[in-house]
Amino acid sequence: MKAGLTSLLVVFLLSAAAVYSISFVLPNVILEFGSAAAFSVPLSWVGGAVGGVVLSMGGDVRSRKYALLVSILLFTLPLGLNIRMGSLIELLAVWFLIGFGVNGENGLSYVYAAELSSPQKRGFIGSVMQGLYYLGGITDLVLASYTHGISNYFLILFSVGLISLPLWFFIPESGAHSVKRFRSGTLLHDGRLMGTTVFGSLFAVGSFPFLVSHVTLSYTYLSGLGLPAYRVLLVGLSVGLVGYAVSGRVSDRLGRRLTTYLFAGLSGIFATILFLNVSPLIDEASIITLMLGSSFFAYFGVWMSEIYPAEIRATGTNTTLFLGRLLGGGFGVSLVLLLPFSLGRSLSLALIASSILVLTSTTQLPETVSRRQA
């Protein structure tokens, strides 16, 4: 059990490093392939939205373990193609596949985290897992800063990513396949689950624009103000990594809903402070604190996996994530940039709106942590 969970966490980390990797060398990629190369980032999220649902359904119907293998192959092997990229079309296709594989792996991992961890530590394990996205971003940021050339950068990431393949053998088959057969109609015919799917989707729609826009645009915003963007982001990502683990443990004790109110409320407050643009120092502190505030999303995947029954757990969880990945990851940054305000004001308004949507949708999601369990 411990070997399976440890392997799962390492694979998740490698997938996070894979999907974030192009963001830190994008200016160089644009120089080589033109401005259209920037579409590789949103396209990876569009691929992720599709891959998350397709691979989770395949896992629920046949085998989650083998669906996980397919997802690993889809984010590791295409990553190696970035070492010598031939054309813009090839670049876009490769990043669609990488996103397809990464989010397929992520969606299945939430289910595994719920099944392989004890009820008392489920939120903590799921949050540590989700926090690995920050560690993946830190790894890419440091590697991009000290590696000479895009080819060497992707060669290192590809080589390390291949570790996922032997680790897969230590991950067991999901126990759900020994319980009941997959029933696709359950999502539509069960009123309680339908409500969870609707409001869980709204939660995801609020979360992904928050996460993706914040991480993606903060560097540009801080740099435009002449502030030490690299240092602030490094501190912020580190705070986010710790904050995710803390929020997961808090949610195991206080409940998923109350913990979400606390962190989403914190996000709304500091997004408002960022909007007011009080001073450069306050802006830096707000950017960092918002990384902590985003911990409302840390345990969301596990939370949804606790609600859906075993036979549709992967499909249900990834259905709630679909619109968030598509709208937030695929178009969230573009929507922020289209707002008729300065970058700081546009970003802060988007974060405020996301916080409100998360808070509102949380009121309609069922609590899964009992007082006896906590």
Side-chain angles (χ1 to χ4, degrees):
M1 188 76 74
K2 289 184 178 180
L5 188 56
T6 301
S7 298
L8 190 72
L9 290 171
V10 174
V11 172
F12 194 97
L13 169 61
L14 296 173
S15 73
V19 78
Y20 268 161
S21 60
I22 193 169
S23 299
F24 298 101
V25 293
L26 192 57
N28 294 328
V29 175
I30 289 174
L31 283 176
E32 185 172 351
F33 294 103
S35 58
F39 286 104
S40 58
V41 176
L43 201 57
S44 70
W45 285 99
V46 173
V50 178
V53 173
V54 170
L55 289 171
S56 65
M57 289 185 69
D60 281 342
V61 172
R62 295 293 181 186
S63 165
R64 288 183 190 148
K65 182 176 174 68
Y66 284 98
L68 190 65
L69 176 61
V70 172
S71 70
I72 290 172
L73 291 172
L74 284 175
F75 80 75
T76 53
L77 300 183
L79 192 61
L81 297 176
N82 286 278
I83 299 170
R84 289 191 180 278
M85 190 62 66
S87 66
L88 175 63
I89 298 299
E90 184 181 343
L91 175 77
L92 298 178
V94 160
W95 280 96
F96 179 88
L97 284 176
I98 290 174
F100 192 104
V102 165
N103 283 286
E105 189 280 336
N106 291 175
L108 291 163
S109 292
Y110 299 142
V111 176
Y112 269 108
E115 293 181 352
L116 295 178
S117 54
S118 67
Q120 294 79 14
K121 294 183 178 179
R122 224 173 252 160
F124 174 70
I125 296 298
S127 296
V128 168
M129 176 180 286
Q130 191 63 48
L132 293 175
Y133 256 86
Y134 283 120
L135 186 56
I138 292 170
T139 302
D140 291 339
L141 180 62
V142 173
L143 187 61
S145 300
Y146 293 99
T147 303
H148 298 289
I150 297 178
S151 295
N152 291 330
Y153 173 71
F154 281 112
L155 176 61
I156 295 171
L157 287 170
F158 169 64
S159 301
V160 175
L162 290 176
I163 298 172
S164 300
L165 295 174
L167 289 175
W168 172 81
F169 289 96
F170 294 98
I171 301 172
E173 178 57 88
S174 170
H177 294 281
S178 63
V179 183
K180 294 181 180 179
R181 292 182 63 84
F182 173 80
R183 293 176 294 144
S184 60
T186 306
L187 281 176
L188 297 176
H189 299 144
D190 187 310
R192 184 182 69 89
L193 292 182
M194 188 62 182
T196 295
T197 303
V198 170
F199 288 103
S201 296
L202 290 175
F203 188 111
V205 168
S207 299
F208 277 93
F210 188 105
L211 298 165
V212 177
S213 299
H214 184 210
V215 173
T216 304
L217 297 176
S218 290
Y219 188 92
T220 303
Y221 172 64
L222 292 168
S223 297
L225 294 177
L227 300 173
Y230 176 88
R231 186 192 69 193
V232 173
L233 272 187
L234 192 58
V235 172
L237 291 170
S238 300
V239 168
L241 176 62
V242 176
Y244 268 46
V246 171
S247 72
R249 194 68 192 104
V250 172
S251 78
D252 284 331
R253 300 187 68 83
L254 300 182
R256 314 291 186 228
R257 291 173 64 178
L258 178 56
T259 306
T260 302
Y261 295 147
L262 293 174
F263 282 96
L266 180 70
S267 295
I269 291 170
F270 276 88
T272 303
I273 292 173
L274 183 65
F275 177 83
L276 296 175
N277 191 218
V278 178
S279 71
L281 183 61
I282 297 297
D283 283 353
E284 288 184 31
S286 297
I287 292 291
I288 293 171
T289 307
L290 283 164
M291 295 280 187
L292 175 63
S294 70
S295 298
F296 60 73
F297 184 71
Y299 42 84
F300 179 70
V302 166
W303 188 7
M304 295 299 100
S305 294
E306 291 174 323
I307 297 171
Y308 289 102
E311 67 272 18
I312 61 164
R313 186 166 288 151
T315 301
T317 300
N318 282 280
T319 298
T320 62
L321 292 167
F322 175 79
L323 285 178
R325 287 167 172 162
L326 183 65
L327 298 178
F331 306 104
V333 173
S334 299
L335 291 174
V336 172
L337 295 176
L338 286 173
L339 292 175
F341 309 105
S342 65
L343 180 57
R345 289 280 169 87
S346 297
L347 177 60
S348 57
L349 283 173
L351 298 181
I352 292 169
S354 292
S355 301
I356 293 172
L357 185 55
V358 167
L359 286 167
T360 304
S361 58
T362 300
T363 64
Q364 302 303 311
L365 292 174
E367 180 57 74
T368 57
V369 177
S370 65
R371 291 187 178 180
R372 180 184 303 175
Q373 176 182 316

